[in-house]
Amino acid sequence: MITRTQEEILHRINQYAGADEDLFGFRRDLLIEALDVDHARPFLQPDITGEQWNRHRWDGYADPEAYGRQYLLFAVSKILHHRSGSAGRAVDKLAELAWLLGRDDVVTAMNNAPYPMYGAPKIAVFAEGLGWPLHSRAEDPDWRDAFTRMAAGQPCSADGCGWGCED
């Protein structure tokens, strides 16, 4: 459940306008989804209805937590596949989600965690802080082991990485 007020969210959106730390607007986009239709109106198409907005927000998931849990699995997948751009975006979006959920402790822990290995340490801190599982039950144990290694700042494989995480 979002603990921030609409005014706090709007203030944060305005802080990101033109800020270097949100160059492509991923954080801002996530924050806009936390607004009700009346507060989001300046960012929306003029004819969108409240019902349409509610169906569109959170990529169609029921609420920000459901969206966040699914996005966490997406983030882990991008990290494991050594997709630096997507992984970086995921770190940003999950940090904003933690802020929306009122988890400043998680935001601080993420900010203090190192980034190398595609943000795996930051994502691990996020998941642990919220008590959310990192992996679906269907995940291959080798992938779990690779993520655990990366979250510890090590290459994905003890035998060496062919994708570049040792660079």
Side-chain angles (χ1 to χ4, degrees):
M1 161 134 338
I2 294 175
T3 64
R4 306 297 179 170
T5 67
Q6 298 290 289
E7 290 72 26
E8 287 173 313
I9 296 166
L10 283 169
H11 178 73
R12 195 161 174 101
I13 289 169
N14 289 332
Q15 285 180 313
Y16 283 132
D20 289 341
E21 67 186 290
D22 191 33
L23 189 60
F24 297 110
F26 298 121
R27 291 173 180 258
R28 186 174 174 267
D29 289 347
L30 183 89
L31 293 168
I32 291 169
E33 291 190 15
L35 297 171
D36 61 40
V37 71
D38 293 329
H39 287 91
R41 182 72 55 206
F43 308 103
L44 304 177
Q45 295 294 325
D47 58 344
I48 194 168
T49 67
E51 182 180 325
Q52 290 170 322
W53 176 237
N54 288 334
R55 275 196 320 264
H56 170 77
R57 294 169 20 156
W58 309 117
D59 287 344
Y61 288 95
D63 56 39
E65 184 174 329
Y67 167 82
R69 287 176 181 270
Q70 185 60 36
Y71 199 80
L72 175 61
L73 297 177
F74 169 83
V76 169
S77 171
K78 294 304 173 185
I79 290 165
L80 289 171
H81 288 101
H82 298 67
R83 301 294 305 257
S84 61
S86 296
R89 178 177 64 235
V91 168
D92 289 347
K93 288 178 85 169
L94 290 175
E96 283 309 306
L97 185 61
W99 180 83
L100 283 169
L101 298 173
R103 295 301 305 272
D104 294 337
D105 59 322
V106 173
V107 174
T108 299
M110 288 179 76
N111 288 339
N112 291 333
Y115 184 84
M117 299 307 159
Y118 305 93
K122 291 180 179 293
I123 296 300
V125 164
F126 172 87
E128 183 180 321
L130 291 175
W132 293 359
L134 278 168
H135 307 282
S136 72
R137 291 185 200 111
E139 289 284 341
D140 183 299
D142 291 338
W143 286 114
R144 266 194 307 274
D145 292 346
F147 186 85
T148 300
R149 290 180 57 74
M150 293 172 85
Q154 302 169 359
C156 62
S157 171
D159 298 329
C161 173
W163 293 11
C165 69
E166 291 181 291
D167 296 339

